[in-house]
Amino acid sequence: MNFALTDEQQMIVDTVRTFVETEIYPHENEVERTGFVPPELGQEIARKCKEIGFFGCNFPEEVGGAGLDHTSFTLVERELGRGSMALTVFFGRPSGILMGCNAEQREKYLLPAVRGDKFDALAMTEPDAGSDVRGMKCFARQDGDDWIVNGTKHFISHANIADFVIVFIATGEEETPRGPKKKITCFLVDRGTPGFEIRDGYNSVSHRGYKNCILTFDDCRLPSSQILGEVHRGFDVANDWLYATRLTVAATSVGRARRAFDYALNYAAERKQFGKPIGANQGVSFKLADMITEIDAADLLTLSAAWRLDQGLPANREIASAKVYATEMLARVTDEAIQIYGGMGLMDDLPLARFWRDARVERIWDGTSEIQRHIISRELLRPLGA
């Protein structure tokens, strides 16, 4: 077993970390204050990302990407996790689902997304369909060679900057042993399509400036050519996406936890009370010991899951384990970092309160902690017939 990074992987870590520190950190306080990223700033970050050759790095070289394997890309996401999501979203990583595009769609959506000429967003969640994805009510009925869509999606991340949205829509129903279930189809929907509107979403305490949006469909007519994959087979596409996003959430949680830990460690070494650094007290030093142990454990879980994907091994349980552990670890680490700082940890002069608030949503989106535990336990029990 070799846990060392290759020279190339170490170069990736160093390059992305430097990018985040020089291009992202300086703008974080203003974005946190205003909840807004000026378009020209987003474009500048995307341009610089292209300059260092990382835009679309999660895509194979044959379509213009950097061709990174799962482990290397997870390292990229880990380092991006140190920075504000409102800004790192412009460090382009289009949805891997787009590899399912047919020849015509590749020219219109996939290749422009990998080049950075177009931004995508992905829409699945609805007001009444979160963890229960098959409970979605956004429905498309077939009308000749077209589909007429009606319904609403919400909590759609960064749709405000998207040129097109990858949308999962119910297109039928089937009987299953557990009752009727929706059949889901994936559509590519351009901004500006008649009957389709992207509206501002809710104000969130987590990841300020990283917008969530509401999508509405009012008799929106989509030709069959806009279907990504096959009719009623949207879940085949969705599962690949969920693997990738859950691993990303785990990786970014590790990166953010390490940044919070660095603040706590340095403060514990510098801050003096009763004539000695506070880190000399077990009440603080033991916190640091527990924090770094949990961070390292989450890191290894995450990279191990990515490695399994690279080896072509089943990784559903391992990805779920990484996601649930890393996100819950981040909550504990950010809370302890604030405790070490005391009252100062809650002030806007430091980013710790932001890390603390941002950590809360990680246990919810891309599959709640409860859903991850369901996946883990199901994978354990099914082989035993339970």
Side-chain angles (χ1 to χ4, degrees):
M1 301 176 71
N2 183 359
F3 292 95
L5 300 183
T6 65
D7 290 343
E8 180 182 356
Q9 288 171 336
Q10 188 60 57
M11 180 274 293
I12 288 170
V13 169
D14 294 342
T15 302
V16 179
R17 184 174 299 183
T18 298
F19 186 96
V20 172
E21 290 174 350
T22 58
E23 305 298 338
I24 303 298
Y25 285 4
H27 305 289
E28 288 181 332
N29 288 341
E30 185 65 12
V31 170
E32 180 72 5
R33 184 183 69 82
T34 64
F36 175 73
V37 178
E40 58 274 14
L41 175 58
Q43 293 165 9
E44 182 71 1
I45 292 170
R47 183 185 66 79
K48 291 181 177 178
C49 177
K50 294 173 191 175
E51 286 181 355
I52 63 172
F54 274 85
F55 202 98
C57 62
N58 54 321
F59 279 77
E61 293 179 356
E62 66 192 58
V63 297
L68 297 186
D69 59 22
H70 292 285
T71 304
S72 298
F73 182 61
T74 298
L75 292 170
V76 171
E77 293 286 19
R78 188 186 73 186
E79 297 309 312
L80 290 176
R82 291 173 173 267
S84 163
M85 284 189 69
L87 295 164
T88 59
V89 68
F90 295 97
F91 194 100
R93 294 97 76 209
S95 174
I97 288 177
L98 293 173
M99 284 301 294
C101 286
N102 59 34
E104 181 181 341
Q105 292 168 345
R106 283 165 71 97
E107 295 298 323
K108 186 176 180 181
Y109 298 105
L110 170 61
L111 298 181
V114 175
R115 290 195 303 265
D117 297 335
K118 289 185 177 182
F119 271 90
D120 66 300
L122 198 143
M124 184 178 291
T125 303
E126 298 180 7
D128 294 319
S131 296
D132 180 16
V133 176
R134 284 190 184 261
M136 66 175 60
K137 296 178 180 177
C138 188
F139 192 85
R141 62 176 178 83
Q142 193 163 12
D143 181 28
D145 196 42
D146 294 341
W147 296 81
I148 311 299
V149 185
N150 284 282
T152 301
K153 300 285 183 182
H154 78 163
F155 294 158
I156 309 308
S157 298
H158 64 80
N160 59 303
I161 65 170
D163 298 286
F164 67 96
V165 184
I166 305 162
V167 188
F168 292 87
I169 300 171
T171 50
E173 198 169 76
E174 60 183 338
E175 289 297 327
T176 73
R178 297 185 178 182
K181 298 288 185 182
K182 300 286 177 59
K183 294 180 180 180
I184 309 297
T185 302
C186 183
F187 289 85
L188 298 164
V189 187
D190 293 305
R191 176 185 290 273
T193 299
F196 172 56
E197 184 181 5
I198 301 175
R199 296 191 282 112
D200 290 342
Y202 316 96
N203 290 325
S204 173
V205 300
S206 296
H207 300 297
R208 290 176 180 169
Y210 183 74
K211 301 297 186 181
N212 69 84
C213 296
I214 297 170
L215 314 184
T216 59
F217 297 86
D218 184 9
D219 285 338
C220 176
R221 181 176 291 271
L222 300 174
S224 293
S225 60
Q226 295 303 109
I227 292 175
L228 178 60
E230 299 179 30
V231 175
H232 305 324
R233 300 295 296 274
F235 270 113
D236 295 348
V237 178
N239 285 335
D240 290 340
W241 166 71
L242 287 170
Y243 282 167
T245 59
R246 287 168 179 171
L247 200 54
T248 288
V249 172
T252 55
S253 294
V254 171
R256 200 166 301 121
R258 287 204 186 277
R259 186 177 174 191
F261 175 80
D262 288 344
Y263 272 93
L265 178 63
N266 290 324
Y267 188 74
E270 296 168 359
R271 169 75 165 169
K272 291 185 178 180
Q273 291 287 275
F274 305 106
K276 62 181 179 180
I278 61 173
N281 301 305
Q282 286 186 352
V284 173
S285 64
F286 281 15
K287 288 183 188 298
L288 295 170
D290 289 342
M291 290 160 74
I292 196 60
T293 299
E294 289 200 61
I295 293 170
D296 286 346
D299 205 358
L300 290 171
L301 268 176
T302 303
L303 292 175
S304 174
W307 176 86
R308 289 184 66 87
L309 289 178
D310 285 330
Q311 305 308 309
L313 298 172
N316 196 23
R317 177 178 68 81
E318 289 78 7
I319 291 173
S321 293
K323 202 270 184 184
V324 70
Y325 187 80
T327 56
E328 294 186 356
M329 171 279 297
L330 176 61
R332 292 188 290 269
V333 165
T334 54
D335 190 74
E336 291 288 40
I338 289 173
Q339 192 68 21
I340 289 171
Y341 265 86
M344 198 64 200
L346 291 168
M347 301 299 114
D348 286 341
D349 301 67
L350 295 167
L352 292 177
R354 168 162 60 89
F355 298 158
W356 185 51
R357 292 195 310 273
D358 291 349
R360 189 59 188 88
V361 74
E362 310 295 348
R363 289 175 277 162
I364 297 173
W365 61 11
D366 296 295
T368 63
S369 291
E370 291 74 19
I371 288 294
Q372 304 314 306
R373 289 185 166 91
H374 169 70
I375 292 170
I376 296 164
S377 58
R378 182 187 62 194
E379 294 284 320
L380 293 172
L381 292 167
R382 271 185 176 174
L384 303 178

